[in-house]
Amino acid sequence: MTARGFRGGQDTDDLDEDYVEEVLALVNETTGHGDSRDARASRGSSRKPDGSHVSREAQGTRDASHAPPQKDRHRATPWAEARATAARAARPVAARRTPVSVTLDDALGLVLAAPLTALTDLPSFDSSAMDGWAVSGPGPWAVRDEGVLAGHAEPVALADGEAVRIATGARVPAGATAILRSEHGRTDEKGGLHPTREVQHGQDIRPRGQECRSGDQLLPDGAVVTPAVLGLAAAAGYDTLAAVPRPRVEVLVLGDELLTEGRPHDGLIRDALGPMLPPWLRALGAEVVALRRIGDDEKALHQALTTSPADLIVTTGGTAAGPVDHVHPVLRRIGADLLVDGVQVRPGHPMLLARTKPDQHLVGLPGNPLAAVSGLVTLAEPLLRVLAGRAAAEPYTLPLREAVHGHPYDTRIVPVFLRDDHAVPLHYNGPAMLRGIAAADALVVVPQGGARAGQEVELLELPWATGIASCFS
């Protein structure tokens, strides 16, 4: 299908597909037309795919012939509510999860399950901040023959008027009053040491407990373990950390038409979600325990769902009502609790969230790649965030550089790059396209009806991006 034109730099392929879906839904629907017509005729003017507007009177005519079934509209969950539902569903499960003890080597990216408390004073002894001499009293000083190196036992105390060579990090001898830097001292022919600038009492000595005292809280529980946190924990004496375990995720790629290698041919296409989803889920704090390709096989899907040990099962495709869309029938068969069945968002509206066991959930993603990304940020991200113990990101908004088409009654998720404190919409943002998201810094949340140039819109950070906050620095 070709785009009908460009407005605000956005191609409209995805909007055309949305309207086709509406018409097809109408053709297949045999009831509910009156309710749909009454509900939509009261909305006033709306935006067509080409960006123009339809009057209230004309809209009533269009609604009578093009409105999607009203029962489907009622079933679909508003986008923000769907995200809140996913987070809420995870909270009782997260509360029952037992913290794990992990080595520092395995802790990166986890969340602290207990405060990080200093096990010792830091530094644990008075130490030298510089290479030079430890000196006692005013100069000049008589220099001892031996030196003091880092990692050695406590050195012999200095008497007044004495100095000793010392390395950075070495224990400062008792009686030392300052460290004289190497570049600030000179020795005479008799071996006496003279300062070349004034020496202040205590200069370049790191006193014991300067950074913290034993028992001080260094970080609260809930802090994400970064490389710097690992360094701090090691300095404070930790070998292991109490952390929230990573939520385990199993990815099930559905579809007989998918290739795992080579070029597309003979109606077959490459599987883009198999390579994309596991690293994306890991970036969200998950442990991907398996990636399985099981095709369009209802029996195999049932077997996979009922035997999976994962905290979250992510499926791709099969969430609609076609002849090989088996997700809904299998969920009904196993008695799953359907928490979200369709979301008012484009792309990705056939996504779903189900509770398959008391401590297990399933997120069903649409098969189109960008629609699947929409499902990830809508349902999988909030659920995994809560299970992993991570705090919600601070909300950010930025003005749009260009206008973005909206859907008449659904939220849109559009990839953007960030420039000069503006969000610049990217082309190639149709449901089956990845070219736009591959170049994106973030996603923007476009409200119903679209957004004009300069309008502030919510941004969703991509887990590998530099960070939305950097736009404000």
Side-chain angles (χ1 to χ4, degrees), residues 197-217:
R197 62 176 60 187
E198 184 178 357
V199 180
Q200 300 294 328
H201 186 84
Q203 75 177 30
D204 290 327
I205 293 177
R206 293 177 181 146
R208 176 172 181 164
Q210 182 184 47
E211 185 170 3
C212 65
R213 289 292 184 180
S214 179
D216 287 352
Q217 180 175 302

Side-chain angles (χ1 to χ4, degrees), residues 418-452:
L418 308 178
R419 293 293 183 274
D420 301 325
D421 292 345
H422 280 77
V424 183
L426 286 159
H427 296 269
Y428 308 105
N429 53 36
M433 298 179 179
L434 286 174
R435 189 171 169 183
I437 189 67
D441 296 319
L443 299 165
V444 293
V445 181
V446 180
Q448 298 175 4
R452 65 186 182 280

Side-chain angles (χ1 to χ4, degrees), residues 395-398 416 418 423 442-445 457-461 468:
Y396 287 104
T397 64
L398 277 181
V416 296
L418 308 178
L443 299 165
V444 293
V445 181
V457 290
E458 181 182 355
L459 270 72
L460 302 176
E461 190 167 13
I468 294 172

Side-chain angles (χ1 to χ4, degrees), residues 39-308:
R40 289 176 57 105
S42 65
R43 294 179 181 271
S45 64
S46 67
R47 192 184 298 270
K48 293 168 58 181
D50 63 2
S52 61
H53 290 266
V54 183
S55 68
R56 182 185 301 271
E57 293 76 18
Q59 183 67 31
T61 303
R62 183 187 184 282
D63 290 341
S65 59
H66 294 283
Q70 186 68 10
K71 65 179 183 180
D72 290 339
R73 293 279 297 115
H74 284 166
R75 183 179 66 183
T77 304
W79 180 76
E81 182 181 331
R83 282 173 57 84
T85 298
R88 187 166 55 248
R91 288 190 188 113
V93 181
R96 294 191 291 269
R97 305 189 81 205
T98 303
V100 292
S101 177
V102 295
T103 65
L104 298 189
D105 288 342
D106 295 327
L108 184 65
L110 295 180
V111 170
L112 294 178
L116 188 71
T117 303
L119 302 179
T120 182
D121 296 344
L122 286 181
S124 56
F125 50 83
D126 292 348
S127 61
S128 175
M130 293 288 171
D131 292 335
W133 296 268
V135 299
S136 179
W141 305 273
V143 182
R144 290 180 178 174
D145 292 335
E146 75 276 10
V148 183
L149 300 176
H152 286 228
E154 184 174 2
V156 177
L158 289 177
D160 188 46
E162 285 189 321
V164 64
R165 268 285 183 181
I166 193 167
T168 301
R171 294 170 67 108
V172 174
T177 55
I179 301 297
L180 179 66
R181 300 185 185 189
S182 296
E183 62 270 26
H184 296 163
R186 64 174 179 82
T187 55
D188 58 28
E189 64 280 358
K190 296 180 181 180
L193 175 64
H194 302 264
T196 58
R197 62 176 60 187
E198 184 178 357
V199 180
Q200 300 294 328
H201 186 84
Q203 75 177 30
D204 290 327
I205 293 177
R206 293 177 181 146
R208 176 172 181 164
Q210 182 184 47
E211 185 170 3
C212 65
R213 289 292 184 180
S214 179
D216 287 352
Q217 180 175 302
L218 305 177
L219 289 171
D221 59 330
V224 176
V225 179
T226 64
V229 170
L230 292 174
L232 175 62
Y238 283 86
D239 299 315
T240 61
L241 294 173
V244 178
R246 298 182 194 277
R248 298 164 301 164
V249 179
E250 183 168 7
V251 180
L252 305 179
V253 178
L254 314 181
D256 290 338
E257 75 280 11
L258 301 176
L259 296 168
T260 58
E261 60 182 14
R263 299 179 184 180
H265 61 86
D266 300 327
L268 302 176
I269 61 173
R270 278 295 296 271
D271 169 27
L273 297 180
M276 181 175 71
L277 291 181
W280 198 314
L281 291 164
R282 292 187 191 103
L284 294 176
E287 174 191 357
V288 179
V289 297
L291 168 67
R292 300 171 60 189
R293 294 178 170 87
I294 61 176
D296 292 316
D297 186 328
E298 183 173 355
K299 183 178 179 181
L301 179 59
H302 178 270
Q303 174 73 9
L305 296 193
T306 54
T307 59
S308 174

